[in-house]
Amino acid sequence: MSILLDGKQCALDIENLLKSQIDLINVANQRLPKLVVILVGTNPASLSYVTNKAKACNRVGFLSEIIQLPEDSTLESVIEEVEKLNHDDQVDGILVQLPLPKGLDAKAVIEAIDPNKDVDGLHSVNVTKLVMNEKGFVPCTAKGVVTLLKTYNIPLQGAHAVVLGRSQLVGRPLAQLLSNENCTVTICHSKTVDMPKHTRMADIVIAAIGRPKMITRDYLSEKTVVVDVGINKVDDKLVGDVDFENVVDLVKAISPVPKGVGPMTIVTLLQNTIDAYHLRNGN
Ligand code: NAP
C-alpha cells in the first residue's frame, strides 16, 4: 500500500504553527499580518478561491480584505488600487486573483505590486530570485508541493523529478524550486514525445497539466512518489490529473485530489504573508 501524502493534515499542522505565532504577536500587542486580495470581475471560480483565502486568514488570525473591482475596470484603475496598497503600512501581502478579465494586461498589474508584498511570487523580481536561488517569494502551489514532499521526508537531493506542465504559475517555478533542492529535473509538456518513457524513470512525478486522470499506471513504477496538482471538474466532481484508483496500489506515495495540493497552496499563501510581515517589520 502506498503512503498517502495528506495535504489537508499537513496544512492543518502548519496553520496551528501560524496560530501560535499570532498568539505571540497578540501578547506583544503588535499589529496583525494583513493580506489584501484584489478581484476584478465576477468569475464564480475566482470568487470562490478568493473567499477561501480570506477564510484561511480568518482561521489563523490574520487580517484580510477583498477588494472587488468591476469587470470593465481599466488597467490604470487596477494599477492605482495596487499602488494604494503598496503604500499602505497596514498591508503586508497583495494578491491579484488571476485570470483577469479579457483585455487587462495581467503582467502589467503584477509588475505594479511591490515585490516585498508580492505573496503570489509572480513579480519578475521574485521570479529572478527563484532562478538565482536567492530568498524571495515563491508561487504558493510550487512551494506547497515541496513542503508536502519534505514533510513526508521524501528525499529530494539527487532524486530524479519529472514535472508535467510548464506554466508560469505552477510547472516552471516548481521545476526551478526542485532544481534548487538539488533534484535532477525533467520538464514535460504538450509537445513531449513519449511522456511515459520519462515518467517511468522518475523518483518523483508531479502532474500539473489540467488533464483529468491522464496519468495511469503505464506512466509510473513502484518507486514513484506522485504529487497531483491537477484540479479538474468531471461530472460535478473534482479529480486530479492522475488516475488515483488505477495507480494507488502501485506507487510508493501519492497525494489525493481533493485534500492534497489544494490546502497546501492556501497555507503557503499564509506562510508567504507572515514572511512579508516579518520582512517589513525588519525581523
Ligand atoms: P496551464 O497554464 O493550462 O498549463 C498546463 C501545462 O500542461 C502546459 O505547460 C501544457 O503544455 C501542459 N499540458 C497540457 N496538456 C498536456 C498533455 N496532454 N501532455 C503533457 N503536457 C500537457 O495550467 P496550470 O495553471 O499550470 O494548472 C495545471 C493544473 O493544476 C490545472 O488542473 C489547475 O486547475 C491545477 N492547479 C491546481 C492548483 C492547486 O492549488 N492544487 C493551483 C494551480 C493550478 P504546453 O506548455 O506545451 O502548452
Side-chain angles (χ1 to χ4, degrees):
M1 192 62 189
S2 61
I3 300 163
L4 190 76
L5 304 175
D6 186 343
K8 187 165 184 219
Q9 185 58 50
C10 181
L12 259 176
D13 293 343
I14 296 172
E15 279 194 8
N16 284 332
L17 291 174
L18 290 169
K19 275 184 201 159
S20 39
Q21 284 199 53
I22 292 299
D23 289 344
L24 292 176
I25 290 171
N26 276 326
V27 167
N29 218 4
Q30 285 171 348
R31 164 183 93 73
L32 290 166
K34 180 171 179 181
L35 172 71
V36 179
V37 181
I38 298 179
L39 174 65
V40 187
T42 52
N43 178 323
S46 294
L47 187 60
S48 136
Y49 291 142
V50 162
T51 309
N52 284 341
K53 287 164 186 171
K55 278 186 187 162
C57 284
N58 225 3
R59 279 199 300 274
V60 295
F62 291 8
L63 303 176
S64 72
E65 186 182 340
I66 299 172
I67 296 180
Q68 263 189 286
L69 300 177
E71 183 90 22
D72 59 357
S73 298
T74 61
L75 180 62
E76 292 69 30
S77 65
V78 180
I79 288 179
E80 195 182 313
E81 203 61 55
V82 168
E83 279 170 354
K84 262 193 249 162
L85 299 172
N86 284 344
H87 293 109
D88 187 335
D89 277 347
Q90 306 296 308
V91 174
D92 302 291
I94 304 169
L95 184 153
V96 177
Q97 185 64 40
L98 301 176
L100 291 175
K102 270 208 180 82
L104 277 183
D105 180 356
K107 191 169 185 325
V109 174
I110 286 161
E111 289 303 303
I113 299 173
D114 176 347
N116 287 336
K117 295 188 178 188
D118 169 40
V119 285
D120 233 0
L122 296 175
H123 191 287
S124 58
V125 165
N126 286 313
V127 174
T128 305
K129 283 184 174 170
L130 180 61
V131 172
M132 305 292 279
N133 200 4
E134 291 170 3
K135 209 166 157 39
F137 292 107
V138 176
C140 300
T141 302
K143 189 172 157 191
V145 167
V146 171
T147 305
L148 186 63
L149 290 169
K150 285 184 173 175
T151 302
Y152 281 88
N153 295 318
I154 306 295
L156 296 180
Q157 181 154 314
H160 179 204
V162 176
V163 178
L164 312 181
R166 55 175 171 181
S167 68
Q168 301 290 345
L169 201 65
V170 187
R172 281 175 204 267
L174 193 45
Q176 187 60 56
L177 200 53
L178 290 166
S179 168
N180 295 352
E181 293 288 341
N182 295 319
C183 286
T184 302
V185 181
T186 302
I187 302 173
C188 295
H189 45 76
S190 68
K191 308 293 184 290
T192 297
V193 176
D194 196 358
M195 205 156 75
K197 183 182 83 185
H198 300 283
T199 51
R200 275 198 300 261
M201 289 193 308
D203 300 302
I204 301 168
V205 170
I206 299 169
I209 51 181
R211 297 282 176 267
K213 297 190 179 188
M214 188 177 130
I215 307 306
T216 55
R217 22 196 329 128
D218 298 344
Y219 288 73
L220 307 168
S221 81
E222 58 288 340
K223 73 165 184 174
T224 332
V225 172
V226 187
V227 180
D228 191 352
V229 177
I231 300 180
N232 311 286
K233 217 171 199 177
V234 177
D235 299 333
D236 264 350
K237 223 182 123 199
L238 289 187
V239 298
D241 291 341
V242 180
D243 189 348
F244 185 91
E245 285 77 21
N246 178 258
V247 309
V248 67
D249 64 336
L250 169 71
V251 298
K252 189 167 160 191
I254 183 166
S255 71
V257 176
K259 301 183 181 172
V261 174
M264 293 306 296
T265 298
I266 298 221
V267 82
T268 304
L269 176 64
L270 300 179
Q271 285 182 315
N272 282 355
T273 302
I274 204 159
D275 285 351
Y277 171 86
H278 288 310
L279 181 74
R280 296 186 56 252
N281 285 343
N283 299 336

